DNA sequence: CGACCCTATGTAATCGATTACATGCAACTT
DNA sequence: AAGTTGCATGTAATCGATTACATAGGGTCG
């Protein structure tokens, strides 16, 4: 008896239960569809009695506005695209969570694009945003869509609010949320130097990466502040992955004169590198100190536990989402937010033997 | 000169460049909108000449169909919801990648819902699917929406295709993709017993969790196959997190008689547990062997490297997405897929001292 | 008391595609 | 030659909301 109660024309029958539409609610509440719509969007512009009847009818029918129809008319999707280079990378997952929870509270959904280094995907997602499937985007990949084909007249005018997270996009005039990578790297370098290390190796991130450039500058800053010379032979290429840390470790093991400390610009690399050193019979930190960057979950439980730079990942995500939402809703938003990092001292670093 | 070329009524001017609509393409190609639509959806039903003109016009205008309009009319969103309990958990990220890449190839987008244990969120996403924002969903959380309020007459009739991944949903008649948790746990237990361990501890997952139940049964199977008695005192509660592994380790360290081997049902717990044992001065594997489950990236570079059960995570994601896509497109799909696991022998397990 | 304004509501246009149905024409059948 | 079939295409209804505009009624003010 208390099912839909389909009044008017069509025979109810046992047909597949279609979702209630605004029409059904309007009929049940004895108002027009316009009033139903207003009762939801601008309650103060509807009389209390009508509002009550509408809400009752909504409860009875289980009405949920059809998002496609709403989007078509209002040109708002309440969806945000998050673009990231590698979904499987531990570093991003907690950031994502910060983003997701903030968006959720504001009524936005999140669509994730894992670029995976594929230009094909990038083009796809450029089309995606162009087609108006999302109201805005958060970019964690350090560049805009279609950066590759630069000269072609369409210099990535996406036309929706964008926010850069972690990796500021140099040429673009969009807000970015970040940590002070340069200062943090400098601080770690000085920490190592302060313990007495003179030969400090640096395991880099991917070349051309903004983070890498900043951290590398910070490393040199730190050396200079400590009065140490910069030695290019102590720069080891990496790409933030465990595997590249392992490879860097193998290179170190093979050397005759080794650095007394290694600063890895990601925890993954640091953990991979420690693994290789330990397997080769070297002791950490007695024979060689190892420092990381990021403070991922596993840094605290690595053996030895990892001295690293803590990044407030969840907060970074929250901040990016907050800024984007402000932009979407026409509120002013800061052009740049810089969150504090923290030097976390654990057991993988000690004074040189 | 070669911009939109807005024929007919409205003055072009320098107004904000609106996205091209099907109307614009139709006018430019000198056909009706129906033909444009058909040229894209069913090319074989359009003459080659018309098709060529349409494609040319599309290229010229940069036309991309408006998804909201398309969805509104065709009731298809080309979006899939992925529901998972914890986005920040390493275990899921590679699965997600498998899902994402498969969906992407088939032209589907992915919306992620990180439930985060919040019933509020669950309700929200139930409404989400009910509102028709997605064509289907992949559930990694082990239960359907609204499982809590069972008796209330609406037993989670979502009405869209669903696929369960990893954690089969007992009461629901939906396809599930999984590994044979019970057999894998039994195998690991027998491996430990085969090395001579008689007192094997078991660090569990969360109570009521389906995975946990299966693995626990497998553990008992393994003991029985090895002719070992089951001792409830050797079952230590956990919840798959690093922290619970650390806690389990603290419990072990405090004991007077310890097991000679510990089987942790996640790598996170195993790594946290090893950390605690090592800090307490115990040696792994000499004093105590530790085994994990999942084979996450860090298992290979833990110190000591972790003996564990390898789960084909990416493939699990791919399989789930493939099944869902088959369902969405009306093709038959298997009710159950079971992928093979692998016992990975590393250095955290050795015969008892 | 009439002009004016404000509030609550209804009517209907609109968003941009898909698609059922209609139509015109060429080719084929008998 | 008339009828049938089928293809290519166009016309217009439709999906379900939002919202510009119109309108009715009640209150205020000069």
């Amino acid at each position: 008896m208390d099912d839909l109660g389909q009044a008017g024309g069509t025979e109810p029958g046992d047909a597949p239960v279609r979702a209630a539409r605004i029409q059904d609610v309007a009929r049940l509440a004895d108002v027009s569809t316009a009033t139903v719509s207003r009762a939801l969007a601008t309650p103060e512009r509807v009389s209390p009695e009508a509002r009550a009847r509408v809400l009752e009818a909504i409860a009875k029918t289980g009405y949920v506005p059809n998002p496609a129809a709403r989007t078509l008319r209002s040109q708002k999707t309440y969806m945000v695209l998050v673009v990231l280079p590698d979904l499987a990378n531990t570093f991003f997952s907690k950031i994502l969570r910060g983003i997701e929870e903030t968006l959720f509270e504001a009524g936005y959904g999140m669509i994730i694009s894992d670029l995976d280094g594929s230009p094909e995907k990038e083009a796809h997602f450029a089309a995606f945003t162009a087609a108006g499937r999302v109201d805005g985007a958060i970019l964690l990949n350090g560049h805009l869509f279609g950066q590759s084909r630069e000269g072609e007249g369409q210099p990535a005018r996406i036309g929706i609010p964008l926010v850069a997270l972690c990796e500021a996009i140099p040429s673009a005039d969009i807000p970015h949320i970040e940590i002070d990578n340069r200062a943090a790297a400098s601080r770690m370098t000085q920490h190592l130097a302060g313990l007495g290390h003179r030969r400090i190796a640096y395991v880099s991130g991917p070349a051309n990466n903004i983070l890498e450039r900043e951290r590398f500058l910070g490393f040199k800053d730190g050396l200079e502040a400590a009065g140490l010379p910069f030695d290019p032979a102590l720069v080891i290429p990496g790409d933030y992955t465990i595997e590249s840390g392992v490879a860097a470790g193998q290179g170190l093991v093979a050397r005759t004169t080794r650095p007394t400390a290694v600063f890895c610009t990601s925890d993954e690399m640091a953990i991979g590198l420690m693994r290789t050193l330990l397997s080769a019979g070297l002791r950490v930190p007695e024979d060689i100190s190892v420092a990381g960057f990021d403070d991922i979950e596993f840094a605290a439980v690595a053996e030895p536990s990892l001295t690293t730079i803590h990044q407030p990942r969840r907060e970074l995500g929250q901040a990016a989402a907050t800024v984007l939402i402000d932009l979407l809703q026409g509120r002013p938003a800061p052009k740049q937010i810089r969150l504090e990092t923290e030097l976390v001292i654990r057991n993988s670093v000690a004074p040189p033997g």
Side-chain angles (χ1 to χ4, degrees), chain A residues 321-342:
Chain A
T322 302
V323 168
L324 184 59
I325 292 166
D326 283 345
L327 289 176
L328 291 178
Q329 304 186 344
R331 289 189 294 272
K335 282 313 248 178
Q336 181 182 14
I337 292 181
R338 216 166 223 183
L339 297 182
E340 290 300 312
T341 59
E342 205 178 317

Side-chain angles (χ1 to χ4, degrees), chain A residues 64-122:
Chain A
V64 180
N66 180 312
R70 184 202 290 261
T71 296
L72 179 57
R73 176 65 224 237
S74 66
Q75 309 289 5
K76 289 197 190 318
T77 62
Y78 283 94
M79 278 286 155
V80 165
L81 181 69
V82 178
V83 180
L84 39 81
D86 181 7
L87 185 50
N89 184 323
T90 326
F91 178 68
F92 294 114
S93 39
K94 205 156 189 175
I95 293 181
L96 276 182
R97 191 165 208 170
I99 295 175
E100 211 269 348
E101 66 188 25
T102 306
L103 289 179
F104 173 78
E105 279 164 24
Y108 286 82
M110 174 176 78
I111 296 178
I112 290 184
S113 145
D114 179 2
L115 285 187
D116 197 11
S118 145
E120 183 198 348
K121 281 201 162 184
E122 203 153 330

Side-chain angles (χ1 to χ4, degrees), chain A residues 106-172:
Chain A
Y108 286 82
M110 174 176 78
I111 296 178
I112 290 184
S113 145
D114 179 2
L115 285 187
D116 197 11
S118 145
E120 183 198 348
K121 281 201 162 184
E122 203 153 330
H124 176 81
F125 282 104
F128 205 87
T129 59
R133 285 183 96 115
V134 293
D135 293 342
I138 297 177
L139 308 173
L140 284 93
N141 59 326
H143 61 95
L144 297 176
F145 291 121
Q147 196 198 38
S148 21
R149 34 168 194 160
E150 193 103 37
E152 259 188 72
Q154 279 186 342
R157 275 279 129 223
I158 294 289
I160 58 174
L162 301 174
V163 171
L165 179 47
C166 292
E167 312 199 23
I169 297 173
S171 61

Side-chain angles (χ1 to χ4, degrees), chain A residues 251-285:
Chain A
L252 275 185
V253 168
R255 296 198 186 186
T256 48
T257 56
R258 301 197 189 91
T260 60
V262 184
F263 177 19
C264 301
T265 52
S266 82
D267 285 350
E268 269 92 349
M269 294 197 294
I271 289 172
L273 184 133
M274 287 204 298
R275 168 99 283 270
T276 311
L277 298 182
L278 293 169
S279 295
L282 291 167
R283 291 167 307 159
V284 178

